[in-house]
Amino acid sequence: MTAPDYDQRIEHWKTALHQNGYRVTQPRLQVIRILAESEIPLTPQEIYQLSLGLDSPPGIASVYRTLEMLDDLGLIQQIHQPSGCHAICPAVEGHKHLLICTSCGQMRVVEGNEAVSEYIRMIEEQTGYQVEEHLLQLFGICQNCS
Amino acid sequence: MTAPDYDQRIEHWKTALHQNGYRVTQPRLQVIRILAESEIPLTPQEIYQLSLGLDSPPGIASVYRTLEMLDDLGLIQQIHQPSGCHAICPAVEGHKHLLICTSCGQMRVVEGNEAVSEYIRMIEEQTGYQVEEHLLQLFGICQNCS
DNA sequence: AACCTTACTGATAATAATTATCATTATCAT
DNA sequence: ATGATAATGATAATTATTATCAGTAAGGTT
């Protein structure tokens, strides 16, 4: 993610806090910066460990509280990896999916596709289910690592 | 899942244990039966709770040990739900996906599709990633619940 | 710019989930 | 039936997450 994108995301998140009646506090900003800056998904514990390098780092409880708030606002999402399930990254909006390198962990957002939507509609017809949500994540080796 | 399928799966799993040098013990069989029998994904703790209804139920440690073994053998897989990430079900082989009812939890296996494979190949070309694995799970409301 | 309300914080206790330890037991090849 | 040993149960240790509460800081108001 380039610098302007990065700053823009942070501004967007700060605005979202404001508009929802949350205060923009130092601990929250520290967690937000770590998340927005990272190119790989992070666990709550990893975020906490990274924060320890900062001046007056947040307590572990505030890390969890901030993540819960960001999740309520839909600003982050969980990554579900074969190796573990509590890594977190900025939420992917709309019809997009995550592509994650199993070697270096780098993540990349890719566009969804009409073919996938079509597949889901077909499954709905076949099964009678109303599909409300889908989880599609791709794992592989990125160009750097191969 | 019909009764013959159920028995067949248990026989298959027992054979797999044998062929990989694992002993077919009572605690393992108890966990295997609970998993094969269930129509919904179960957490380790739920499996343990269910086992308490049996004669001489396995210890919690054996439940975890059995799940680790079954996972190593590729016989089970984890379900990644928005609400939590440690539910377990028998592994889906080949190009199939899981469809899970967010109301009653019932799961159903659906066939994959050439369109999905095509989408993944397109992403590979666009990004230079070699996609080795993908996670596609659909969540919705089943016919019974709607 | 100082004040005031109260949402938020850090420290830590409590809870829950998972893993490690080890003496005893049960599996299964012989 | 026997013996080697993989596996077990009980429980301690570890790790992750959530709850509690007195003190603090954000930010609207004056």
Side-chain angles (χ1 to χ4, degrees):
Chain A
M1 188 149 108
T2 61
D5 284 344
Y6 165 89
D7 289 339
Q8 195 185 324
R9 169 167 287 161
I10 290 179
E11 286 312 310
H12 173 218
W13 288 12
K14 282 165 74 173
T15 306
L17 297 209
H18 237 107
Q19 288 179 343
N20 289 276
Y22 293 104
R23 293 182 181 174
V24 177
T25 67
Q26 283 311 309
R28 283 171 179 172
L29 270 177
Q30 289 169 326
V31 170
I32 284 173
R33 286 204 197 96
I34 288 172
L35 270 173
E37 198 170 311
S38 178
E39 299 210 329
I40 64 174
L42 299 169
T43 64
Q45 295 291 334
E46 286 169 341
I47 292 167
Y48 177 64
Q49 290 304 321
L50 285 171
S51 79
L52 294 180
L54 306 172
D55 287 348
S56 58
I60 182 70
S62 287
V63 172
Y64 278 102
R65 283 186 288 233
T66 300
L67 293 176
E68 194 186 352
M69 178 199 65
L70 293 173
D71 191 49
D72 288 345
L73 295 176
L75 298 175
I76 57 173
Q77 70 177 61
Q78 281 201 3
I79 297 292
H80 306 282
Q81 290 170 286
S83 51
C85 302
H86 293 258
I88 287 156
C89 71
V92 170
E93 322 86 47
H95 196 193
K96 290 176 182 171
H97 304 293
L98 284 171
L99 174 58
I100 296 158
C101 177
T102 52
S103 173
C104 68
Q106 190 180 54
M107 61 191 168
R108 185 161 170 174
V109 177
V110 296
E111 289 293 330
N113 186 313
E114 185 52 34
V116 176
S117 311
E118 182 55 42
Y119 169 70
I120 291 172
R121 276 195 295 273
M122 189 193 75
I123 295 296
E124 284 183 314
E125 275 190 29
Q126 280 181 9
T127 63
Y129 272 61
Q130 285 176 257
V131 175
E132 295 174 328
E133 231 182 313
H134 66 278
L135 172 63
L136 175 54
Q137 289 177 188
L138 309 178
F139 302 97
I141 305 289
C142 74
Q143 239 163 2
N144 274 346
C145 291
S146 70
Chain B
M1 186 147 109
T2 62
D5 284 343
Y6 165 87
D7 289 339
Q8 195 184 325
R9 169 168 286 160
I10 290 179
E11 286 314 309
H12 172 218
W13 287 14
K14 282 164 73 173
T15 306
L17 297 209
H18 237 107
Q19 289 179 345
N20 288 275
Y22 293 104
R23 293 181 181 174
V24 177
T25 66
Q26 282 313 307
R28 283 171 180 172
L29 271 178
Q30 290 169 326
V31 170
I32 285 172
R33 285 204 197 96
I34 288 172
L35 271 173
E37 199 171 312
S38 178
E39 299 209 329
I40 64 175
L42 299 170
T43 65
Q45 295 291 333
E46 286 168 341
I47 292 167
Y48 177 65
Q49 290 303 320
L50 285 171
S51 78
L52 293 181
L54 305 172
D55 288 348
S56 57
I60 182 70
S62 286
V63 172
Y64 277 103
R65 282 187 289 233
T66 300
L67 292 176
E68 193 186 353
M69 178 198 66
L70 292 173
D71 191 49
D72 287 345
L73 294 177
L75 298 175
I76 57 173
Q77 70 178 60
Q78 281 201 3
I79 297 292
H80 306 282
Q81 291 170 286
S83 51
C85 302
H86 293 258
I88 287 158
C89 72
V92 171
E93 322 85 47
H95 196 193
K96 290 175 182 170
H97 304 294
L98 284 171
L99 175 58
I100 296 158
C101 177
T102 52
S103 173
C104 67
Q106 190 180 54
M107 60 191 169
R108 184 161 169 173
V109 176
V110 296
E111 288 293 331
N113 185 312
E114 185 51 34
V116 176
S117 312
E118 182 55 41
Y119 169 69
I120 291 173
R121 276 195 295 273
M122 189 193 76
I123 295 295
E124 284 183 316
E125 274 189 30
Q126 281 182 8
T127 63
Y129 273 61
Q130 286 175 256
V131 175
E132 295 173 329
E133 230 181 314
H134 65 279
L135 172 62
L136 175 54
Q137 289 176 188
L138 309 178
F139 301 97
I141 305 291
C142 74
Q143 240 163 358
N144 273 347
C145 291
S146 69

